[in-house]
Amino acid sequence: MTTEVKADPKLIAACGLYCGACGKLLKGKCPGCAANEKARWCAVRSCCKERGYASCADCTEFRDPRQCGKFDGFISKVIGLVLDSDRAKCIDRIRAVGAEQFAKEMADGRRQSLPRK
């Protein structure tokens, strides 16, 4: 049985990952990054919450999120390697098409991230 991946912009993580396609969220074992109060370790999430941003796509200080010291921290790099994700490409896509369309594209493709390359 395949679990339906729903398109929900509220499931976009601060860094651009799409939590809506994450296995832990789909199994009810994680609320997603935005709702995960235990994720205080995430500098990107903390920064976005402090500034009132839904994600780094809302940031006007850094056009390229990789320029921000918080975006590419050690844990972020590990997550990127494990998921083969290009979170900066996700942020660029959110800026290009909006959060609603990005969530739809990711849900339709059952993807957490756009791949590196």
Side-chain angles (χ1 to χ4, degrees):
M1 182 171 117
T2 304
T3 305
E4 179 186 0
V5 177
K6 295 180 180 164
D8 184 350
K10 292 178 186 158
L11 293 176
I12 298 172
C15 66
L17 293 176
Y18 186 62
C19 294
C22 174
K24 284 189 175 189
L25 183 128
L26 293 171
K27 292 176 184 171
K29 295 182 179 184
C30 180
C33 291
N36 188 351
E37 292 302 321
K38 293 179 183 178
R40 292 189 182 116
W41 53 266
C42 181
V44 174
R45 181 182 178 279
S46 295
C47 179
C48 285
K49 284 186 84 78
E50 287 169 15
R51 295 171 184 238
Y53 298 158
S55 76
C56 292
D58 297 332
C59 181
T60 57
E61 187 174 345
F62 298 102
R63 191 70 205 142
D64 180 346
R66 291 172 290 223
Q67 295 171 330
C68 175
K70 295 175 184 174
F71 189 78
D72 264 341
F74 175 75
I75 292 175
S76 298
K77 288 180 181 180
V78 170
I79 291 170
L81 285 172
V82 169
L83 296 177
D84 184 34
S85 69
D86 188 334
R87 295 169 308 112
K89 193 187 299 184
C90 292
I91 294 299
D92 288 343
R93 186 69 183 154
I94 294 166
R95 286 177 173 160
V97 301
E100 298 253 345
Q101 180 62 31
F102 177 77
K104 182 179 180 337
E105 291 171 5
M106 299 306 280
D108 288 350
R110 299 184 64 83
R111 295 186 310 233
Q112 285 181 262
S113 176
L114 296 172
R116 295 175 182 219
K117 293 180 187 180

